[in-house]
Amino acid sequence: AGAADAAEPQGSLFNPTAEHYALRELCAAFVRDEVEPQALEFNRAERFNHPLFRRAGELGLLGVTVDPEYGGAGMDAAAACIVHEELSASDPAFCLSYLAHSQLFVNNLARNGSAEQKAAWLPAACSGEAIGGMGMSEPEAGTDVLGMRTRAEQQAGGSWLLNGGKMWITNGAVSDTELGDRYLIYARTAGPEVKASKAVSLFYVERGMAGFSLGQRLKDKCGMRASPTAELVFENVSLPAANLIGQPGGATVCMMRNLEIERVVLAAMGVGIARRSLEAMNAYATDRRAFGASLRDFGQIQRHIAESYAEYMAGKTYLYQTALGLDLDAAGNRLDTDGVKLYCTTMGKNVADRAIQVMGGYGYMGEYAVERLWRDAKLLEIGGGTLESHHKNMVRDMSQLDAMP
C-alpha cells in the first residue's frame, strides 16, 4: 500500500497541515511511479541515478526547507521528515544522497550563508542542476570531529588556501571517476592555541577548482549501494574570501545546528524502513500458509508483527513530535534530536530484521526488498552520529533536567 492510501488525515501529527498532506501525497506518487521501479537495479549496480535526482528537483523536493526566493519550498522540519520517510520506504540509498544534498548542503547554506551566497549557489542546487554534499568526517576524525586536520590558511589578499582530505562523503562522486558539483567543507583555521570549538570555519568548494580532486570512490559497502561515497582531496585549493560561510572560527555552531536536522531526518529514514518492512511481513504472514493455517495465526509470528507495529508507531510519534518543535534557525535541541535518532534508527533495523525472519528464505532474497532495507538500516546507527555519541550527548544534557518531560 502506498503511504498516501493509509496516511493520517491532514491536521494529524504526521500531516499537520494541508501542505504537509499534499507533500506526502506527492512523494508517495513519486516513489510509486519512479523510485520503486529503479531501486533494485541501481543498488545492485552501485550506481547513482542522476536523472531521478534531477526529477526530485523538478518536483521541488531538493529545497524543501529553503525560502522560495532561492528556489525552495519554504517548509519546516516536519516536511523534511515526510520526504525522507517516503523515499526510505522504497530506496534508502537514493534517500541518503537526497539527504546529503537537501540538508547537509542546501539547508546548511540556507541557514548559515549570506544573502549573496544563497542567491549565487542555492537556485541551481534546489533545481537539481548541481549536486551538493558536505565534508566533515576525515580518516582519523569521525565522532571526534573537532580533531579534524584539514586546514585553511588565509592569504595576504584575503583568499584562503585549503589543504587536507575528507572521508565517507556522500555525493562525493557521481560515478567512479567524477566528482559531484558543490560542497560545504569544514576546515581548521586557527592554531592549537585556540580552543577547537572556535577554530573551525566553513567554506564553499566546487568541482573544477585547481587542486580539488576525487581521492577514491568507495564501493562494496554493506548497504546504501546506490548512494555514492567518496574521499575528497584538497591540495593548495585557493578559495576566494567570498567562499567563507559566516565568520572565521564560527562554524561549530553551524555544524551543531545542522546536525540536529540531519539526525531528525535520519530518524525519519528509520521510520520509512520500518514501515515498508512491517507492510511486507504483515502481507506475507496473511498470504503464506503453513501446517494448514495462515502464518499470522502462530504466536511466534504474532510477536514479530505486533512488537514491530508498536515500536514503529512509538518511533513515528516521537519523530514528528520532535520535528514540529524544531527551529531550523536555532541550535539547542540536542536532547530529542539525538534521542529520536537513537531510537528510530535501531528500531528500523530491528523491524527489517524481523521481516526477514517472518518471510524466511524469501525475505533473504533481493527481490523482496527487506534484505536491502536491513543492510541499508545499519548505516543509520553510524552516520550523522554514532549511537554511542547520542548516549554521551543525551546523558550530558539530561544532567540539566530536574524532572522528566
Side-chain angles (χ1 to χ4, degrees), residues 41 80 104 107 132 152 163 200 203 237 272 290 307 311-312 361 369 386 391:
E41 173 191 351
L104 305 190
N107 183 74
N163 282 283
V200 175
F203 296 91
V237 180
E307 289 187 351
E311 292 172 14
Y312 159 70
T386 62
H391 297 151

Side-chain angles (χ1 to χ4, degrees), residues 84-105:
H84 285 81
E85 179 193 342
E86 296 300 325
L87 291 177
S88 290
S90 173
D91 191 348
F94 179 75
C95 186
L96 187 68
S97 281
Y98 169 81
L99 184 159
H101 178 90
S102 68
Q103 301 304 318
L104 305 190
F105 179 82

Side-chain angles (χ1 to χ4, degrees), residues 23-347:
L23 176 64
R24 191 180 293 276
E25 287 190 312
L26 172 69
C27 291
F30 176 49
V31 167
R32 180 188 64 242
D33 298 338
E34 302 182 59
V35 178
E36 182 64 20
Q38 60 81 58
L40 183 58
E41 173 191 351
F42 278 81
N43 274 274
R44 281 178 171 169
E46 297 191 58
R47 284 195 294 127
F48 174 65
N49 193 331
H50 200 166
L52 189 68
F53 180 86
R54 289 184 181 274
R55 176 63 177 147
E58 293 173 3
L59 294 173
L61 300 178
L62 297 181
V64 68
T65 60
V66 175
D67 288 342
E69 67 179 295
Y70 303 116
M75 297 187 75
D76 59 3
C81 288
I82 287 171
V83 182
H84 285 81
E85 179 193 342
E86 296 300 325
L87 291 177
S88 290
S90 173
D91 191 348
F94 179 75
C95 186
L96 187 68
S97 281
Y98 169 81
L99 184 159
H101 178 90
S102 68
Q103 301 304 318
L104 305 190
F105 179 82
V106 172
N107 183 74
N108 199 346
L109 180 59
R111 260 64 216 180
N112 299 306
S114 67
E116 293 77 15
Q117 290 169 332
K118 290 185 283 188
W121 301 324
L122 281 178
C126 290
S127 71
E129 176 186 342
I131 297 173
M134 180 271 289
M136 185 165 64
S137 296
E138 297 182 2
E140 297 182 16
T143 299
D144 181 22
V145 64
L146 294 181
M148 67 178 67
R149 298 181 181 180
T150 297
R151 294 189 57 84
E153 298 180 354
Q154 192 163 27
Q155 306 302 293
S159 64
W160 296 82
L161 202 61
L162 180 66
N163 282 283
K166 296 295 180 179
M167 194 69 164
W168 318 116
I169 306 306
T170 303
N171 297 351
V174 293
S175 71
D176 290 353
T177 59
E178 187 180 9
L179 285 163
D181 296 309
R182 300 174 175 185
Y183 300 91
L184 294 178
I185 301 297
Y186 291 94
R188 191 175 181 95
T189 51
E193 72 282 358
V194 177
K195 187 178 179 181
S197 62
K198 298 185 182 300
V200 175
S201 303
L202 183 61
F203 296 91
Y204 170 85
V205 182
E206 63 184 25
R207 183 175 62 176
M209 289 181 164
F212 176 33
S213 64
L214 175 63
Q216 58 179 318
R217 162 94 188 271
L218 303 169
K219 301 183 75 173
D220 198 24
K221 298 180 294 185
C222 171
M224 301 293 187
R225 292 190 163 212
S227 175
T229 309
E231 176 189 21
L232 305 181
V233 177
F234 310 99
E235 297 176 302
N236 291 324
V237 180
S238 180
L239 302 175
N243 285 31
L244 172 69
I245 309 297
Q247 298 299 314
T252 300
V253 67
C254 304
M255 182 189 301
M256 295 301 111
R257 180 165 52 215
N258 216 63
L259 276 170
E260 292 179 358
I261 183 60
E262 179 184 4
R263 287 167 179 170
V264 170
V265 294
L266 285 165
M269 291 182 66
V271 169
I273 288 171
R275 192 186 79 209
R276 176 69 177 275
S277 300
L278 182 57
E279 289 170 351
M281 79 168 103
N282 189 46
Y284 183 87
T286 298
D287 296 339
R288 175 78 174 188
R289 294 185 65 81
F291 303 101
S294 173
L295 203 62
R296 67 185 310 107
D297 292 337
F298 294 93
Q300 300 99 320
I301 302 302
Q302 291 168 352
R303 177 178 180 180
H304 286 313
I305 296 173
E307 289 187 351
S308 294
Y309 178 79
E311 292 172 14
Y312 159 70
M313 287 301 294
K316 189 168 184 174
T317 300
Y318 188 18
L319 170 67
Y320 284 96
Q321 176 180 295
T322 300
L324 287 169
L326 186 63
D327 181 353
L328 293 174
D329 292 309
N333 303 286
R334 190 172 68 172
L335 177 58
D336 282 313
T337 56
D338 273 61
V340 74
K341 180 178 178 292
L342 174 69
Y343 181 81
C344 288
T345 56
T346 297
M347 180 273 295

